[in-house]
Amino acid sequence: MKNLKILMTACIVGLGLLSFTTIDHDKTPSKHTASSIKGYEVGDSATDFKLKNIDGKKVSLSNFKSAKGFIVIFTCNHCPYAKKYEDRIVELDKKYKDQGYPVIAINPNDPNVQPEDGYKQMIERAKQKGFTFPYLLDEGQKVFPQYGATKTPHVFILQKENGKNIVKYIGAIDNNYEDPNDVSEHYVQDAVNALIKGEPIKMTKTVAIGCTVKVKK
């Protein structure tokens, strides 16, 4: 009888644990959470998009007929990391746009989650900082998951090859977000310079450092 009671107690505890595990397992993460986003790898072909720019017009990569590639940067208004990089992003566009690699900035954040990243605020920020490039709103948050962007800023360098936009670099802009004068590794510059020269990119992927993308709840 004693052994039977022990066995029954063990069964009840086991069923309880199984129930707990099942309930916990059913808490499926959002399809846009950082842990579930796969996105592109280096060598993949990136699909085009059509997103609203701060001037109200729709912008696609196909609009840039003479471009050899693109420096696509997912960024935003509110993030301290993104703010630190704004001047450097402007410099990247000024330096490489005429060489065929313009900057295309995309705000992936949901303004209902982070009001500072609303469309009106984007217009104001671009004017304040003197953005020389398109600053697009990922309405519906459909583009950033395709790319696999998880941070702001997060860079994807593309190169046109046989009518496709091939991913050549993914990651950070450089290795020091705090101080541009103390940067020792210029990842994006080095990658674009290599593409312009027709040389292999030495470092094709780095870890993006920044704020997480703010996803609609």
Side-chain angles (χ1 to χ4, degrees), residues 9-10 28 33 46 54 56 58 69 78 91 98 110-111 117 135 161 166 172 181 187 196 217:
T9 302
T28 306
T33 57
I54 49 175
K58 295 285 187 176
H78 88 278
E91 289 303 313
D98 292 340
D110 186 303
D117 292 328
Y135 189 22
E161 294 181 1
I166 305 300
N181 297 316
Y187 305 129
I196 291 172
K217 298 179 180 178

Side-chain angles (χ1 to χ4, degrees), residues 180-198:
N181 297 316
D182 198 29
V183 172
S184 59
E185 296 286 346
H186 297 83
Y187 305 129
V188 170
Q189 286 192 47
D190 291 346
V192 177
N193 286 337
L195 291 176
I196 291 172
K197 295 176 182 177

Side-chain angles (χ1 to χ4, degrees), residues 21-211:
T21 303
T22 304
I23 293 170
D24 186 62
H25 181 71
D26 285 342
K27 292 179 180 179
T28 306
S30 167
K31 65 178 180 178
H32 288 345
T33 57
S35 62
S36 64
I37 292 175
K38 183 178 183 299
Y40 297 132
E41 295 291 343
V42 172
D44 287 348
S45 175
T47 56
D48 203 349
F49 46 74
K50 183 178 287 187
L51 298 176
K52 185 167 67 173
N53 191 16
I54 49 175
D55 61 2
K57 299 178 181 179
K58 295 285 187 176
V59 171
S60 299
L61 299 179
S62 59
N63 296 148
F64 299 80
K65 303 297 183 183
S66 61
K68 299 175 183 177
F70 305 92
I71 305 172
V72 177
I73 305 178
F74 291 87
T75 187
C76 65
N77 294 346
H78 88 278
C79 176
Y81 295 88
K83 289 179 178 179
K84 287 280 189 180
Y85 274 114
E86 284 173 328
D87 292 339
R88 277 174 272 185
I89 293 173
V90 171
E91 289 303 313
L92 284 171
D93 186 60
K94 289 181 177 179
K95 182 173 183 178
Y96 293 113
K97 180 163 51 181
D98 292 340
Q99 298 185 66
Y101 291 86
V103 166
I104 308 293
I106 301 175
N107 173 14
N109 290 340
D110 186 303
N112 293 316
V113 179
Q114 179 48 257
E116 288 183 56
D117 292 328
Y119 184 66
K120 180 180 178 181
Q121 289 76 12
M122 288 172 61
I123 296 172
E124 294 171 352
R125 189 67 181 175
K127 184 177 181 180
Q128 178 185 355
K129 296 300 297 183
F131 285 180
T132 57
F133 44 81
Y135 189 22
L136 314 178
L137 177 62
D138 187 5
E139 291 182 287
Q141 298 188 301
K142 297 178 180 179
V143 175
F144 89 81
Q146 292 180 348
Y147 276 73
T150 59
K151 304 288 184 181
T152 52
H154 203 155
V155 183
F156 295 78
I157 296 178
L158 314 179
Q159 184 177 38
K160 287 185 179 180
E161 294 181 1
N162 301 317
K164 297 181 179 180
N165 295 304
I166 305 300
V167 180
K168 294 294 184 178
Y169 170 84
I170 302 172
I173 294 173
D174 55 43
N175 69 341
N176 194 323
Y177 82 91
E178 292 184 308
D179 186 0
N181 297 316
D182 198 29
V183 172
S184 59
E185 296 286 346
H186 297 83
Y187 305 129
V188 170
Q189 286 192 47
D190 291 346
V192 177
N193 286 337
L195 291 176
I196 291 172
K197 295 176 182 177
E199 298 174 352
I201 298 173
K202 293 181 179 179
M203 191 173 294
T204 58
K205 195 167 185 179
T206 60
V207 177
I209 303 298
C211 303

